[in-house]
Amino acid sequence: MYINLPSKNHYRRPASYASKGYRTRRMAVDFAVPLITNVKVAKLLVEALVRKMPLNVSTVDAKTSHVTHIFPGLVNIAAFVPNLAVPETDDIVEASKAALSAGFTTSLIIPLGYGNQISDHATLDQARTNISDGSAYGNYAFSVAASPVNAKSLDEKDLQAEVRSLFIPFVPGKVVTQVSVVAGHFASWPVDKPIVSNAKGADLASVLLAASLNNRSVHISDVQNKEDLLLIKLSKAKGLKVTCDVSIYALFFTKDQFGIGVTALPTEYDQAFIWQNMDVIDAFTVNGPPFYVSVEQGEKGSPWSGVEESLPLLLTAVADGRLSLKDIQERLHDNPIRIFGLPEQAHTQVEVVVNRSFVYPRRGDYWSPLCGKSIKGAVHRVVVHGQTVFLDGVFVAPPSGKDVSAAIISHTAEKPAIAHPVPSVSISQLSAPSMTTRQMQADAFVGVGATPHGPALLHQTLSHFVSHPAFHRRHILSVKQFTQHDIYDLFSLAHEMRLQVERSGAIDILRGKVLCTLFYEPSTRTSASFEAAMKRCGGDVVSVTAERSSIQKGETLQDTIRTLACYGDAVVLRHPDVGSSQLAAKYSPVPILNAGDGTGEHPTQALLDVYTIRSELGTLNGRTITLLGDLKNGRTVHSLVTLLCLYSVGLNFVSPASLAMPSNVVSAARKAGVHVHECESLEEVLGETDVLYVTRVQKERFADEKEWEQVKDVYRVDHAVLSRAKEDMIVMHPLPRVNGRRALGCILFITLVFV
Ligand code: NCD
C-alpha cells in the first residue's frame, strides 16, 4: 500500500512537469499497488488499523481498464520524407515532429524522397538546410544513396563520415543497378558503416552475394514478399550477416484491400508468410508504403503518413495476441540500435496505453486507412532526457532533436534476429587509437583508453557519451561552448561515474593516458581534483608548476604547451591572463582544459557548481541564486552565471560597487531572459535566496593593497546571517575561504566544492 498526498499546487506548473510525487503515485497505479491520495481516507485507514476495526474491503477495490507500458525511446530506421532534398520545404521538420508524437525519438531518414534523393554533398547539404538547428523534434540521421556513378565520389572520407549509412536503392521499373555497381559500392564503402538496400527478387540475390563476397553485413529494408523473406531466412541460416525490416503497413494492410494501382503493399498471401516468419524480421519501420499507398490511390500523402499509426497498429496486434510488447521493443529499439550502432538516449522513454480502445481520429489533411477505425493502444507520453516532450497528443516542450548522422558506429549485424539487446558500441572499438599525429590524439582524448574490464553499465553510458559532439575531441575553454543538453548528458555520465567510484574506488577507463597539469597560479583543489580524477580513472598525471619549470627561464606559454602536448593526452592549464587558454589551444595538438584564466573563466568549477546545486536541490529551475563577494575578479562566478542562464533561475549579484559583476556578464544574463538584481546588501535578498554562493575577495587582482583592505571583510556569512535565511538555503564556496575561521566555520550546512 502506498499513501501519498498530492501537494496543494499553489503555483501553476507546466503541463509537462511531473513531480516526484506524481511519478511515484503513477508507479503505484502502473504496478497495481493500492494507493491512497486523500488525507481523510488515509486517516480513516490508519485509525481503523490502530483500533483493529474490521475492514470489510474486497481484495479488489479498483480496476483500471488499460495497462500502461513503458518502452525506451523508439527508433524508426526507415523514415520516409517526400521532399527530402528539395529546397524550401519543411518536410524533414514535419517528419521529425510526426516521429516524436509517435514515440520515435530517433529516425534514420531514407535518402530517397519522392522524386529526389541524397546522393552527394550538395543534396546532403540541401537536406541539412531543410532542418536547421533547433527545429528538429526528435533525433535524426541522414544516409546517402548509391548510384551507378557515385561509388567514387562517395569515397570521400568526409561525406562518408557525415552520414549514417549507404543505401543501395532499387526502384521498380527504373534502371537496374547492375551487379558491378553493387559490387563497387560494397568494395569502397567503409566496413564500420552499414549498407542498406531495398533490393527485391534477383536484385536482392545480387546484393546478398556482394555482401557475402565482401564478408560484410547488409540490412534489407521493406521486405514485402515470401520469396525475398525466404532468401533472407536461408542466408541467415548459412551465417550471412544480413538483417531485415518490414514496414508496419505491410503487416496490417495488403494491396488486395486497396485494389488495382496499389503496389506498395504485399499480397495477402505474402503478408501471411511474413507473420508466420516473424522471427526472421529484425526491425519494424514506417518506410515508404504509407506515403505511396496514399498517392497510388490519388489521396494526399505527407511526411506524417503512417507514422502516428505505427504504435496503435502494433499495440492492436498485441491486444489480439499476435505480437508481444517484447516483440515491439526488440524491433523498434533493441535491434535497430544494435544494427545501426546508435547511441542509447538516456532517460528517454515512451509511455503507451495498451488495450484501451480508441476510434482513430482524422489527423491533419493526409489520408490514413485507420481514420474512423477502432484500434487498441496509443502513445500517452514521450519523455526525452527526463523531460516530457509530448503528452496526450500535445507537444509540451520546444524541439530539441539532434543530428546523429555522424555518431560513432559499431556494426554488429551478424547477430541473429530477436537477440537480447547488447550495448550499441563496444568500448574497445571506440578506443582503438588509430592516431598518426598528435592532432589526432587531441581529437581522441575524451573517452579513449577505455577497456572492456570496467562495470558494464558505466561502459554503456560512456559508450553513448564517447562520441558526444560537445566533449569528444574538444578543448574545454569556456562554458559558453555548452548547451543545456550537453550539460544534461555530462551530468548523467558524472552521476554514473560517481556511483562507480563510490562502489569500487577506481574505474579503469583511462589506463595508459597521461594528463599534464600546468599551473601558473596557486591551486589546491583544482590541481588535486584533476589529478585525483585522472588517477581514479586509471590514468597518470605529470604536474608542472610555473615556479619550478623553464617558465622561470622565460619560456613562452606557446612553447611550454607544445612541449607538454608531446608528453600528455591533454593539458590542464591555469594562468593569470584572461584568454590564455584560448591562446594555448591555438598551439596545442591535444585538448586544453581551462582551469582558470585570470579573471576570465573557470568552466570546470562552474560545471561542478551546477551539478552540486542540482544534486542538493533536485533542480535549478525556479531557484534564486545569490552570488556574493568579489564578482568582478572571481572567475568562477563568471562561468557560473553563463551556465545558470540555461535554467529558469533568478540571480542576485551582491558586491561592493567596486567589485560588481562585469557588465558584459550582467547584460548576457538579462539577454538570456534571466531576472538579475544587483545590490550591495546581502540582507536585501537573503530571504528569497535558495543558494548563497560566496566568493573570496581576490587579493592578488588588486593593484593597490589598500583598496583590498577596504573591501576584504565587507561580507561575513555567520550564524546570525543564516538564521535570517531560508531554512533549506545551501551555502557554496569555490574556496579557498579566507578570514573565515569564525565566519563560515559556523555555517549550518555548507557544500564545499572541490575543483
Ligand atoms: C577559485 C579560483 O582559483 O578561481 N578556486 C577554485 O579554483 N576552486 C577561487 C579563488 O581563488 O578564490
Side-chain angles (χ1 to χ4, degrees):
M1 152 113 16
Y2 182 49
I3 301 177
N4 183 288
L5 310 179
S7 70
K8 289 208 181 72
N9 265 338
H10 288 304
Y11 43 90
R12 264 183 79 79
R13 283 169 167 160
S16 58
Y17 180 78
S19 67
K20 279 194 184 136
Y22 167 80
R23 278 183 276 163
T24 55
R25 291 191 293 278
R26 178 76 233 179
M27 264 160 68
V29 173
D30 291 344
F31 292 100
V33 173
L35 168 70
I36 293 179
T37 58
N38 177 298
V39 70
K40 282 187 191 155
V41 176
K43 280 182 184 165
L44 284 172
L45 174 77
V46 172
E47 212 176 307
L49 290 174
V50 169
R51 293 193 197 165
K52 299 202 170 35
M53 285 157 73
L55 283 171
N56 297 326
V57 183
S58 142
T59 47
V60 179
D61 58 356
K63 276 185 182 170
T64 50
S65 57
H66 67 275
V67 176
T68 301
H69 182 79
I70 297 177
F71 289 117
L74 303 177
V75 183
N76 177 16
I77 54 171
F80 180 77
V81 179
N83 292 311
L84 174 62
V86 174
E88 284 168 33
T89 138
D90 60 357
D91 268 18
I92 311 182
V93 176
E94 285 299 309
S96 85
K97 198 171 180 184
L100 201 67
S101 70
F104 295 114
T105 53
T106 303
S107 302
L108 307 193
I109 299 172
I110 319 170
L112 305 179
Y114 188 46
N116 61 91
Q117 61 178 26
I118 297 175
S119 54
D120 53 20
H121 261 303
T123 41
L124 176 62
D125 286 347
Q126 180 59 59
R128 280 195 190 135
T129 313
N130 291 347
I131 188 156
S132 56
D133 265 3
S135 60
Y137 283 77
N139 284 355
Y140 60 96
F142 291 115
S143 294
V144 65
S147 81
V149 292
N150 71 353
K152 259 225 120 23
S153 57
L154 292 185
D155 206 6
E156 296 165 19
K157 289 282 171 288
D158 53 344
L159 183 64
Q160 291 171 349
E162 285 168 28
V163 295
R164 193 92 218 155
S165 62
L166 173 74
F167 191 96
I168 306 183
F170 291 85
V171 185
K174 298 262 166 73
V175 193
V176 179
T177 306
Q178 294 149 348
V179 177
S180 60
V181 173
V182 173
H185 281 292
F186 266 92
S188 60
W189 190 250
V191 284
D192 59 340
K193 294 222 162 193
I195 294 182
V196 183
S197 179
N198 60 353
K200 298 187 173 20
D203 294 328
L204 174 60
S206 68
V207 166
L208 294 177
L209 178 66
S212 169
L213 293 175
N214 287 279
N215 189 27
R216 56 177 304 163
S217 55
V218 66
H219 179 81
I220 304 301
S221 195
D222 193 18
V223 178
Q224 291 233 345
N225 68 50
K226 179 183 169 183
E227 298 308 315
D228 293 348
L229 194 55
L230 213 50
L231 190 54
I232 291 168
K233 190 176 176 173
L234 288 173
S235 305
K236 282 188 175 198
K238 288 277 172 220
L240 198 75
K241 300 174 203 168
V242 56
T243 49
C244 68
D245 70 67
V246 288
S247 163
I248 294 164
Y249 261 38
L251 289 172
F252 297 95
F253 304 109
T254 60
K255 52 171 69 152
D256 319 288
Q257 263 170 284
F258 298 106
I260 306 170
V262 171
T263 59
L265 291 171
T267 62
E268 220 166 279
Y269 172 78
D270 286 327
Q271 188 186 67
F273 188 81
I274 293 173
W275 276 99
Q276 282 156 19
N277 289 277
M278 193 51 82
D279 59 329
V280 187
I281 310 296
D282 299 273
F284 296 146
T285 56
V286 177
N287 234 311
F291 177 85
Y292 283 103
V293 174
S294 309
V295 296
E296 282 174 346
Q297 293 183 96
E299 299 280 359
K300 186 169 165 23
S302 136
W304 289 74
S305 292
V307 184
E308 285 181 300
E309 290 91 328
S310 301
L311 271 179
L313 281 169
L314 294 170
L315 292 172
T316 304
V318 172
D320 296 344
R322 302 173 80 192
L323 283 176
S324 68
L325 292 167
K326 187 166 167 267
D327 288 334
I328 298 179
Q329 172 160 340
E330 283 169 344
R331 292 171 179 82
L332 285 183
H333 173 268
D334 304 348
N335 294 338
I337 290 232
R338 172 175 57 77
I339 296 166
F340 285 85
L342 292 162
E344 189 82 56
Q345 286 173 279
H347 309 291
T348 297
Q349 62 187 42
V350 182
E351 288 176 32
V352 295
V353 286
V354 188
N355 259 334
R356 187 192 273 175
S357 291
F358 297 91
V359 172
Y360 195 84
R362 180 162 185 93
R363 295 205 168 106
D365 60 348
Y366 59 95
W367 176 81
S368 167
L370 275 190
C371 202
K373 302 247 165 64
S374 182
I375 41 98
K376 287 183 184 156
V379 175
H380 165 56
R381 182 195 292 268
V382 182
V383 178
V384 177
H385 295 313
Q387 195 189 8
T388 299
V389 293
F390 183 81
L391 184 66
D392 290 331
V394 180
F395 287 92
V396 290
S400 62
K402 281 191 178 160
D403 184 348
V404 294
S405 312
I408 287 176
I409 287 173
S410 159
H411 192 193
T412 51
E414 66 272 22
K415 227 162 176 246
I418 320 308
H420 290 294
V422 295
S424 55
V425 186
S426 108
I427 288 287
S428 51
Q429 272 169 298
L430 289 170
S431 60
S434 59
M435 296 165 280
T436 50
T437 64
R438 300 301 298 174
Q439 183 59 51
M440 287 170 89
Q441 288 196 0
D443 291 350
F445 179 69
V446 177
V448 297
T451 71
H453 307 300
L457 180 60
L458 177 67
H459 275 184
Q460 206 168 342
T461 319
L462 253 182
S463 69
H464 303 141
F465 193 78
V466 84
S467 58
H468 200 294
F471 302 101
H472 183 49
R473 310 173 172 193
R474 298 279 178 200
H475 299 289
I476 307 295
L477 307 178
S478 159
V479 288
K480 292 184 191 125
Q481 67 195 73
F482 304 121
T483 66
Q484 193 177 1
H485 255 131
D486 300 334
I487 290 162
Y488 181 92
D489 292 342
L490 179 71
F491 289 172
S492 303
L493 178 73
H495 178 73
E496 235 16 271
M497 292 180 76
R498 179 182 171 167
L499 293 180
Q500 290 298 340
V501 170
E502 273 167 13
R503 257 178 236 141
S504 41
I507 38 176
D508 201 19
I509 51 171
L510 290 178
R511 194 187 318 147
K513 297 293 149 190
V514 173
L515 178 71
C516 293
T517 62
L518 174 59
F519 280 75
Y520 288 73
E521 281 189 347
S523 166
T524 305
R525 273 149 295 273
T526 306
S527 57
S529 63
F530 268 108
E531 207 163 320
M534 195 65 191
K535 288 184 171 163
R536 285 196 186 270
C537 290
D540 274 312
V541 182
V542 170
S543 328
V544 178
T545 49
E547 61 274 15
R548 288 184 48 215
S549 68
S550 292
I551 295 157
Q552 292 302 324
K553 302 176 189 162
E555 186 172 63
T556 61
L557 175 63
Q558 290 91 311
D559 284 355
T560 310
I561 287 288
R562 280 190 185 110
T563 309
L564 291 185
C566 297
Y567 308 142
D569 299 284
V571 177
V572 173
L573 172 69
R574 171 169 287 185
H575 194 279
D577 295 345
V578 176
S580 50
S581 61
Q582 261 90 357
L583 179 73
K586 254 173 99 176
Y587 295 91
S588 174
V590 301
I592 298 292
L593 311 178
N594 180 6
D597 59 330
T599 58
E601 280 217 43
H602 195 333
T604 54
Q605 175 70 56
L607 286 166
L608 181 57
D609 290 337
V610 173
Y611 180 83
T612 304
I613 299 173
R614 237 175 59 136
S615 312
E616 293 296 334
L617 302 182
T619 177
L620 278 96
N621 292 326
R623 305 296 184 175
T624 299
I625 293 137
T626 297
L627 308 183
L628 174 76
D630 187 349
L631 308 185
K632 179 182 171 204
N633 300 308
R635 52 195 168 205
T636 65
V637 285
H638 302 163
S639 294
L640 183 57
V641 169
T642 308
L643 283 186
L644 290 174
C645 287
L646 299 172
Y647 300 84
S648 307
V649 294
L651 293 179
N652 296 313
F653 298 158
V654 184
S655 69
S658 61
L659 299 180
M661 186 69 85
S663 58
N664 62 324
V665 180
V666 178
S667 60
R670 292 206 167 114
K671 226 168 137 191
V674 172
H675 180 263
V676 175
H677 176 68
E678 290 184 278
C679 61
E680 292 191 37
S681 154
L682 177 59
E683 289 306 316
E684 211 178 293
V685 293
L686 185 63
E688 66 179 50
T689 299
D690 297 300
V691 178
L692 179 61
Y693 189 98
V694 190
T695 62
R696 173 180 69 96
V697 179
Q698 314 254 311
K699 185 178 180 185
E700 68 277 24
R701 313 281 179 215
F702 285 75
D704 179 353
E705 200 171 318
K706 279 200 206 100
E707 277 175 33
W708 170 73
E709 288 284 350
Q710 281 165 17
V711 285
K712 74 178 171 62
D713 292 324
V714 183
Y715 301 110
R716 224 182 128 77
V717 180
D718 56 16
H719 202 279
V721 168
L722 292 179
S723 67
R724 294 189 294 277
K726 277 186 179 177
E727 218 171 77
D728 54 356
M729 181 185 84
I730 62 166
V731 182
M732 297 171 67
H733 197 308
L735 301 175
R737 58 178 164 142
V738 286
N739 310 330
R741 291 204 101 221
R742 286 177 307 125
L744 283 170
C746 53
I747 279 173
L748 300 178
F749 175 59
I750 177 163
T751 309
L752 299 180
V753 187
F754 297 114
V755 156

